[in-house]
Structure formats: structure tokens, C-alpha cells
Amino acid sequence: MYDLIIVGAGPAGLTAALYAGRFRLRTLVLEKMAVGGQIVLSPNIENFPGFPGGIATIELVERIKQQVDELGLEIKFDEVIKIDTQAKGFLIQANEQSYQAGTIIIASGAQSKHLGVPGEDRFIGRGVSYCGTCDGPLFRNKKIVTVGAGDRAIEEAIFLSNYADKVTIVHRRQGLRASKILEEQARGNPKINFLLDSVIEEIIGESKVEAVKVKNVQDNSLSRLDCQGVFIFVGISPSTDFLRNCLELDVSRFIITDQSMATSRPGIFACGDCRQKNLYQVINACAEGAQAADSAHKYLLNKDK
């Protein structure tokens, strides 16, 4: 029986574990894939306080994990499939085994959204990717199309320009959603072009990506853009399928919480990218993890009275 089980070992989950360890809660962190979460898909973090010039994402994750390890907390690799309430807390059913806890923090994160266009699923791993850091080196001297105009999309386009012969950013509007400093860097990069007011209608090829069919949303004209890679950065979907009948979710399946990170079920808290909010950044994921751990600690103290 654990005091606390944290589902997910991204920045939010690791920070929650760090604070839980300092509260001396008997804590288990469950992670289905790899420590770090989807943040490891980005190579660097340039806006985390205390690191002028930025820090490599892997290094930041390793530093946080080291702090967690120093407190002797346990991390297991197991995927949670269901949460049930029981007399003294919660029963967490996972693929490998079941676990019991007095309280739970959900920090299960999110995953990349798909475009949903013909050819996308067919060419995953054969030219279609959702991670520039992972696959960029495979496209040295190639022509690449990226889709999306948020911070991560523009960061990835800039990163990919280190390998590609040409990067074309496709976005359905004229204005970008990324921070101005990233936009300035992209527009000043001679390898990066912009195809705005446009959407990808189809990804074309025989055995691998050869081109994309692009539609101009202003006049509906169609054109073909030759490329060997399509990198898609159009947002995230929360990893909350295992919570459908457990917690209140919004229409996009993000977990609804209050300011203390409490969910609709007493004793379960949530933080990070699986939570409904306006800003999805490492800095506020960590802050939410700290808040969730504090709330879980107070919940246990009041529960024992």
C-alpha cells in the first residue's frame, strides 16, 4: 500500500515525485514508456529559468530524475489501464500487476495529434514523423515539409534545417502562433520557406513519401510540393483514455481540475499536459506537479484525522 502513486514520469510527474519525497510519502511512479515524457521530442529548452542559452532537454530531465533518485523514490515501467475506488484509497490496475494507494496524481501527459489525411498513417516511419529530434538526421540534404506554427513546430523546423536542404512550413493561416523570437529566427533562416493560408490534403508516394498535395484555403487551388519528409506538429491529445469512466474530462479529453489540481474525484489530482489549461510548457508543468504533491499530502493528512 503506497501513500501516493504518480502516473507518468514527465516533468510534471517527476516534480510531483520530488515534492512527495520531501514530504516523506511512500511514493511509486508508474511510467508506460520512458522517463521524460513527450518533452524529450524537443532537443533543447531555451526558456527554462536559470539556464541562460538554454539546456538540452535530456540533460534537464536527467537532473530532475537525479533529484528524485536521491530521495529513494521508486519508478516502475507499467501502463495503467484502470483506476477503482476501494475502502482505504484506490486500486490501480496496470498491465503487469495491480497497485494500491491512498491518493493518486495523474501526470500521464499527451501525445502528438495526427492530421488525418490520406497517406499519413501509411507512411509513418517512411517519411512521416512527429519528432524532428528523433528522425531529423535521416533527412540530411532532403526536402522537408513541416506542418504547424506553434512554438514546438517552429523550434522543430529550425532544428530540421540543420540537416535538410530545404524546410517548408505549411500553416493554414497567415499569422504564426509561435513566440516572436522563434518566428524571427525562422524567417531569418535561408533554408526555411513558408507556405501560408495552406493545408495538406494528401501525402503522396509509392513505398515512401515523395510529395504532398496542398490546398490554398483562400481560393481552394491545389498544388503538388515535392518532398521526402513530412513532420507534423499540430498539437497534442491527452493520454487519458484509461480515465474515461473515472474522472470528469472536457470535450478534448483533458482532465478538469481546480487550482489545487484536484479532479472531480476526491483523492485524485492531475498535473501537466493531461490537464485542461491554456499554456503547455515545462515550467508550468513542474509548478503543477509541485502543487499536486502538496494537495495530495494535505489530503492524506486530513484523511487520517
Side-chain angles (χ1 to χ4, degrees):
M1 182 75 178
Y2 292 91
D3 295 322
L4 168 66
I5 288 180
I6 300 169
V7 181
L14 289 176
T15 305
L18 173 60
Y19 276 74
R22 295 181 65 83
F23 289 133
R24 295 296 189 230
L25 300 180
R26 184 164 183 253
T27 302
L28 171 67
V29 181
L30 294 175
E31 169 56 51
K32 68 177 181 180
M33 293 183 66
V35 172
Q38 72 159 357
I39 186 183
V40 299
L41 300 180
S42 295
N44 299 291
I45 300 172
E46 295 185 354
N47 57 355
F48 199 88
F51 295 97
I55 182 172
T57 305
I58 294 298
E59 183 182 352
L60 179 62
V61 169
E62 283 300 319
R63 287 188 180 206
I64 302 173
K65 183 179 181 295
Q66 183 180 348
Q67 289 176 292
V68 172
D69 290 342
E70 287 172 353
L71 291 166
L73 271 66
E74 186 179 6
I75 299 176
K76 281 189 177 181
F77 292 95
D78 203 353
E79 182 175 4
V80 176
I81 55 178
K82 189 179 179 183
I83 296 174
D84 291 315
T85 303
Q86 57 181 22
K88 294 185 178 181
F90 300 95
L91 176 67
I92 296 180
Q93 298 181 36
N95 278 334
E96 298 296 326
Q97 65 181 89
S98 295
Y99 308 87
Q100 292 178 298
T103 184
I104 297 172
I105 294 175
I106 307 295
S108 52
Q111 55 197 356
S112 298
K113 283 185 178 178
H114 288 211
L115 287 178
V117 299
E120 179 179 11
D121 291 344
R122 178 185 169 201
F123 291 117
I124 290 175
R126 292 185 290 167
V128 171
S129 175
Y130 305 86
C131 176
T133 311
C134 311
D135 298 329
L138 302 175
F139 292 84
R140 194 177 298 275
N141 301 321
K142 306 284 188 183
K143 290 182 173 62
I144 291 174
V145 168
T146 68
V147 188
D151 278 357
R152 185 184 168 219
I154 303 305
E155 284 175 351
E156 294 278 22
I158 294 168
F159 175 78
L160 289 166
S161 71
N162 293 314
Y163 301 97
D165 177 60
K166 178 181 177 182
V167 177
T168 301
I169 297 173
V170 177
H171 181 48
R172 64 172 56 248
R173 299 181 181 86
Q174 268 295 319
L176 306 186
R177 293 184 292 107
S179 63
K180 287 300 180 183
I181 191 168
L182 285 173
E183 181 176 349
E184 289 166 5
Q185 290 174 16
R187 291 192 182 278
N189 190 318
K191 286 188 175 183
I192 296 178
N193 296 328
F194 291 84
L195 190 56
L196 304 177
D197 287 333
S198 300
V199 294
I200 289 181
E201 291 279 282
E202 183 180 358
I203 300 172
I204 303 166
E206 290 295 329
S207 60
K208 57 185 178 180
V209 170
E210 297 175 8
V212 292
K213 183 189 292 184
V214 179
K215 182 177 81 171
N216 183 289
V217 297
Q218 297 294 330
D219 59 18
N220 291 325
S221 61
L222 297 174
S223 61
R224 175 187 167 112
L225 179 62
D226 291 338
C227 62
Q228 291 78 51
V230 180
F231 286 76
I232 299 167
F233 312 110
V234 292
I236 57 174
S237 297
S239 300
T240 56
D241 286 349
F242 67 100
L243 298 169
R244 284 184 184 275
N245 299 314
C246 179
L247 301 179
E248 183 181 0
L249 310 176
D250 69 9
V251 293
S252 299
R253 306 197 321 276
F254 288 93
I255 303 170
I256 298 172
T257 73
D258 64 14
Q259 290 185 334
S260 70
M261 304 300 132
T263 69
S264 58
R265 181 170 290 194
I268 300 182
F269 303 87
C271 56
D273 287 357
C274 62
R275 175 180 170 265
Q276 182 194 64
K277 55 185 176 179
N278 294 322
L279 182 66
Y280 292 85
Q281 294 285 301
V282 180
I283 185 66
N284 65 316
C286 292
E288 292 166 15
Q291 177 64 70
D294 180 68
S295 297
H297 179 226
K298 289 174 179 174
Y299 172 81
L300 291 172
L301 289 176
N302 292 328
K303 182 181 175 184
D304 292 338
K305 287 182 179 178

